Amino acid sequence: MRDPVFSGSTMAYHPFQAPRPLDFSISAFLAAAQPSFFPALALPPSALGKPPVESGLSGALGPPHHHIHATHLHGFKSMELEDAAKDNPKVTLEAKELWDQFHKIGTEMVITKSGRRMFPPFKVRVEGLDKKARYILLMDIVSADDCRYKFHNSSWMVAGKADPEMPKRMYIHPDSPATGEQWMAKPVTFHKLKLTNNISDKHGFTILNSMHKYQPRFHIVRANDLLKLPYSTFRTYVFPETVFTAVTAYQNDKITQLKIDNNPFAKGFRDTGNGRREKRKQLTIPTLRRFEDQCKAERDVGDSDTSSCDPVAGGETPPRVVRSPRGVSRACRGGKINADSDQEPEQLDVGSATTDSHAPSPTRFAQDRKEQLEKDSSLLVGVRSPKKDKAESQNRKESEAESPGGSDKEDAEVRHTDLSHFSTTQLQALALPGVHGQPFYSNLAAGQPLLLHQGQFTMTPGALSTMGMEHLLSSVSTAASLENSALVGQTAGGSCSFPLHLSQHILTSQGIQMPAFGAMFPYPYTYMAAAAAAASVLPGSAATASVSLSPFLSTTRSRLRFSPYQLPGSTTGLNSGWDPCRLSSRDPSPTPALEQQSQAARLVANHRTKATLRDSASELQSIQRLVSGLEGQRDSFPARTSPGGE
Amino acid sequence: MRDPVFSGSTMAYHPFQAPRPLDFSISAFLAAAQPSFFPALALPPSALGKPPVESGLSGALGPPHHHIHATHLHGFKSMELEDAAKDNPKVTLEAKELWDQFHKIGTEMVITKSGRRMFPPFKVRVEGLDKKARYILLMDIVSADDCRYKFHNSSWMVAGKADPEMPKRMYIHPDSPATGEQWMAKPVTFHKLKLTNNISDKHGFTILNSMHKYQPRFHIVRANDLLKLPYSTFRTYVFPETVFTAVTAYQNDKITQLKIDNNPFAKGFRDTGNGRREKRKQLTIPTLRRFEDQCKAERDVGDSDTSSCDPVAGGETPPRVVRSPRGVSRACRGGKINADSDQEPEQLDVGSATTDSHAPSPTRFAQDRKEQLEKDSSLLVGVRSPKKDKAESQNRKESEAESPGGSDKEDAEVRHTDLSHFSTTQLQALALPGVHGQPFYSNLAAGQPLLLHQGQFTMTPGALSTMGMEHLLSSVSTAASLENSALVGQTAGGSCSFPLHLSQHILTSQGIQMPAFGAMFPYPYTYMAAAAAAASVLPGSAATASVSLSPFLSTTRSRLRFSPYQLPGSTTGLNSGWDPCRLSSRDPSPTPALEQQSQAARLVANHRTKATLRDSASELQSIQRLVSGLEGQRDSFPARTSPGGE
DNA sequence: TACTTTGCCACCTAAGTGTGAAGC
DNA sequence: ATGCTTCACACTTAGGTGGCAAAG
């Protein structure tokens, strides 16, 4: 309870701790982004959008199909439709049941200096892509809220405001670019992505703050060259059940047990009568074996490759889609707009993302989405309400009582509330920091500040960073959408699969932590691209104001925390890593945004406090996050950007 | 001794079995290719070629620097010089000493159904690249000759003509494309490439015939997109000391022992007093430990990644460079030209590649090369004469007497001789089959016959396949050369590193055999590209004649061998793999070529027979090889070409 | 003291190696 | 009987897991 604002809050259903906050958080910022998205979306020919049905002011909205948005957007702004159409991607989360099991308890992911994989592994199945077109698939992990947590009395509770955001990195799937056919052939796994708390990480791992909540995101970009990524449309998918709290050591024994029971690498800790396992009673759940078995089965299929297991069976979750075409629009820029930011977490699970009612134009679209959601059963796959979760968890026969705050927490509430104080722009910033960076053009790190090949694009750093998150400002849907990317121009004609045959060379190993290999993509890069697009398309661009503050110099109330182990310069060797002190002052200040939830959801959440986080501290922190995301990114770039080794 | 022609030949220094034949073989076909290369080469601005010194009729020539050739070529034919220049690649083989140790004995590589790595690992150090330009690095393994061997009485001897060539695959380094800076940062390893004897392989592994000799090759292509590979210039580097015989089980105990002593994974078989090792006395050589130690040291350096060890120290071998600019030329096409194909194997080691005296125009260049070689000490690095080898081997304290034919064999002789009977075109075909295919655009395999995006390029399949090997028809040198690639046009402006951060995801694992990941690149693809270029540039194009024969239908004397385990259809599952019966009949017939050796070398080798292989059977087989390389490639493509898995 | 983070450890998966008997 | 290929094995490297004591 470090946080002065939330101190005292305890557990489930507390105004400040609504159950299943994670979902909210995500949907919240997604919703916020949405508004700004529509205006710029292009409409693919094959778009089969439906007329908007539900209004989006308060937020409620079902995940819409992209094409729908595209259509509308088309009218708004003329976008390049060249290669639009022909695809209508649909993404489902693999091992959904397993994720759900963790989610109910409150997923925790260990982060270590050397980098730790995620478990369950983030794996998605993609459908509806243009077989011949080439795509780049990526994922990143963004803050779910701006709070710091603590696990107290068997439950998670807010413990203050979030620490300064670490430079986020966009992780490009190593097979990128590859044809839609290839991507759809089998689930796309991201087990090579590693999490770390080492701010000086040189491997390109995703740096997270311990005791903070995060949301993994998946992106699909139609582009045949990584160089085009910056100018391309990002279709973002978020699976609420994948939110997790980063920890350096497991806090909830239930999580530990679930990990042990399902992660083959932890088999050694299973209670097999070998006199191990003391603390945790064997909470082994029936679904247990399934995961591993599936993994093995999967490995044997086709030309196995990969590694981390991942259950194939079970429900797959249709995510919320956020799309950011280049030249995308930005939602209302201005300050903490918001308002009815409170929503019912429960509803969130219904799989719908809400749009900020305060956003520029999205309202009607929100309705559209909602309708879509209700119509498209696939969108609801894997979606479950908190109540259901509760019921399930209670049914579980665990020797240990269900930890009070175990499942269905509500820090989300906090986050949610917090978000409501940010403008759409701010939310973007909030999300974007985690939007790009991890493995990407390492050469960028190697020198060029922002590259974008001179002349092609000119903007002030501030403007760029602010607008860069355009692809976050997209429509939210769980189904597929038509191609609407505004690629800078196809290179070669066809759709050549790029695979690089990980089969033989790349696959197996997880994170060999060779920065040389990683495709590092510092935020700045994408930022610029998106920003450029946005700038050229939208009139009232969002905050272009540059704020001169770094997490270390201009903190109002937010505490800058660095564990003794992470203090800049005190960490591992080469100080070429991220150095907070070097954050420049040329960054835009994000603006507040609204969250959107289904009306039902908001009804439930109405009792929450809305003002708590509405202080300058919140804004400052957001800004700082953004700044670090932009500036820190560059500095943290691995010194070695060479490939070869492999 | 199945081969009627060579039956009876026994061992070292026998006319038919000159020691260290491998070197010859390689240099032979390289030389043959050279002639045709020059005419088409573009001259980079920074070219610093030297005037030709030695004549090339009989062959002898030192490894020239590309730029030299480029310069000359410039005059011959105007090539796109857009991105020419700025780079002058120099490639050296890592772990040369180790390779030499194996080479002396007669390197053997085990091939298994599940795929086996090479040991020593093929690893090269690249220098002189344009830091900012992007390159694609690849490797493939081509037949060293067209003979089948048998290990009899402790020595290798010819046992007939080669079996039908398996579809070869070009293995694209997974980090491709990446900037020159990245590639040069650390040695480029290809340990993910796996060898197999499973003709139905779906992993994209390199399929080889057991008991046949092969030569690994390394290629550098300046291109920022894999899609441009087909239209780009290939700079090929060959390290004679890396020739090897594919086996399903080690034949020479010395090789086995050397492997055990140096491969960390075989450590369990080392004679550490654990009562193992019987057959092989501990031939452990002093240099032993070094390799492994180096590997470990290397792993710790920088952001380790990779895996297979590889000694960094010791001599690195400058290879013979073969370059094929697009719109390349073809050497004399006609039939078994040849003539003084006999050379002294010993000389080969001197590190110089000889050009075929019968080749079109190369003569003067050959001299130039020679001079270069003598001047550039780096070219001689690791180069050693057979005599030296002999001395070394004798110094080794092996309990077991040096197997008579163990080191310094001469099947090479056969191969050499054989090669002399082929026209340049034939040699090209001979090599090309192994030039492209392994991991590459899998989508190609997935459907499109040859793709090349309609309209961009039009040629008859036959012509294409014939000319496709253009990049083989290049100059031979050990040093660097300037950029001369005729890329189809740069996509984005800058030089973005492509890394994909294998660090995190790709690196570690070796060959997870996931076809989905491999970048499959069937020969046909490259063939077409090169062909197109050649066609547009050269007047008297080589064989465009389409031959209607498949290894199964039109075999004159060559026996079609398929072990019971490999019979098409009888092998592993899915028959989507390579099906010899499906080989089409539209392929060009390769033409003979000359080999080139230093004059000294030829003096020594003059006593060899030249006519032995000059029969139609040889030609047919070559053709068949080519055909299978082209047609088989497609069929053998892994059914699953999806990425994702990773 | 309370809470986190670190390091090292044992254990496990994944996969690379040659063996040696069996198969064809 | 010869010659080559296959396969189950034991052993090794590389690396993923949580435990746990110690440190901060």
Side-chain angles (χ1 to χ4, degrees), chain A residues 401-435:
Chain A
E402 291 256 14
S403 58
S407 22
D408 304 293
K409 316 126 242 52
E410 26 333 75
D411 9 76
E413 180 58 283
V414 175
R415 177 174 163 300
H416 200 205
T417 303
D418 190 359
L419 290 175
S420 66
H421 297 272
F422 295 88
S423 66
T424 300
T425 308
Q426 285 179 312
L427 284 180
Q428 293 170 35
L430 221 165
L432 231 217
V435 163

Side-chain angles (χ1 to χ4, degrees), chain A residues 495 501 503 508-509 512 514 518, chain B residues 303 443 501 503 508-509 512 514 518:
Chain A
S495 57
H501 201 68
S503 334
T508 309
S509 83
I512 292 309
M514 186 72 158
Chain B
D303 300 276
N443 68 329
H501 200 67
S503 336
T508 311
S509 81
I512 294 309
M514 186 73 156

Side-chain angles (χ1 to χ4, degrees), chain B residues 511-527:
Chain B
I512 294 309
Q513 18 293 63
M514 186 73 156
F517 286 86
M520 308 300 279
F521 189 11
Y523 283 104
Y525 197 23
T526 297
Y527 267 49

Side-chain angles (χ1 to χ4, degrees), chain A residues 208-222:
Chain A
L208 304 178
N209 279 320
S210 182
M211 310 311 269
H212 286 243
K213 278 190 172 157
Y214 294 93
Q215 171 67 243
R217 306 192 306 181
F218 172 63
H219 314 275
I220 293 179
V221 176
R222 182 168 176 160

Side-chain angles (χ1 to χ4, degrees), chain B residues 52 66 71 140 246 280 385 509 520 549 561 571:
Chain B
H66 276 312
T71 307
D140 63 0
R280 282 166 274 90
S385 69
S509 81
M520 308 300 279
L549 42 88
R561 308 187 195 198
T571 326

Side-chain angles (χ1 to χ4, degrees), chain A residues 123 132 134 169 171-179 181-195 201-206 224-228 231 298 301-307 438-444 446-448 451 453-454 456 489-520 525 638-646, chain B residues 123 132 134 171-179 181-195 201-206 224-228 231 301-307 438-444 446-448 451 453-454 456 489-520 525 574 637-646:
Chain A
K123 198 172 185 177
K132 301 306 178 191
R134 289 212 287 173
R169 293 165 175 172
Y171 177 95
I172 301 178
H173 191 290
D175 289 349
S176 305
T179 62
E181 184 170 29
Q182 298 173 314
W183 291 119
M184 298 186 286
K186 64 186 196 328
V188 180
T189 68
F190 287 88
H191 63 253
K192 296 271 175 53
L193 179 155
K194 285 189 175 181
L195 312 180
D201 177 71
K202 301 290 184 306
H203 304 280
F205 297 158
T206 294
N224 57 18
D225 190 310
L226 292 177
L227 290 171
K228 295 176 182 172
Y231 325 98
E298 246 175 59
V301 179
D303 301 278
S304 74
D305 72 302
T306 308
S307 36
Q438 193 149 147
F440 232 92
Y441 304 109
S442 20
N443 69 331
L444 268 179
Q448 309 93 320
L451 87 114
H453 313 318
Q454 45 317 70
Q456 288 205 56
Q490 300 279 32
T491 312
S495 57
C496 244
S497 64
F498 158 91
L500 280 189
H501 201 68
L502 295 191
S503 334
Q504 259 191 77
H505 27 293
I506 308 179
L507 291 185
T508 309
S509 83
Q510 300 289 330
I512 292 309
Q513 16 294 61
M514 186 72 158
F517 286 85
M520 307 301 278
Y525 197 22
R640 310 184 63 199
T641 58
S642 70
E646 188 243 329
Chain B
K123 198 172 186 177
K132 301 306 177 190
R134 290 211 288 173
Y171 177 94
I172 300 177
H173 191 291
D175 290 348
S176 304
T179 62
E181 184 170 29
Q182 299 173 313
W183 291 120
M184 296 186 287
K186 65 186 196 321
V188 181
T189 68
F190 288 88
H191 63 253
K192 296 270 175 53
L193 179 156
K194 286 189 175 180
L195 312 180
D201 176 72
K202 301 289 184 304
H203 304 280
F205 296 157
T206 293
N224 57 17
D225 190 310
L226 293 179
L227 290 170
K228 294 176 182 173
Y231 326 98
V301 178
D303 300 276
S304 74
D305 72 303
T306 306
S307 37
Q438 189 146 154
F440 231 93
Y441 305 109
S442 21
N443 68 329
L444 268 179
Q448 308 95 321
L451 87 113
H453 315 317
Q454 47 314 72
Q456 288 205 56
Q490 300 281 30
T491 312
S495 58
C496 243
S497 63
F498 156 91
L500 280 188
H501 200 67
L502 295 191
S503 336
Q504 256 192 80
H505 27 292
I506 308 180
L507 291 187
T508 311
S509 81
Q510 301 289 331
I512 294 309
Q513 18 293 63
M514 186 73 156
F517 286 86
M520 308 300 279
Y525 197 23
L574 328 165
F637 236 56
R640 311 183 64 197
T641 57
S642 69
E646 190 245 326

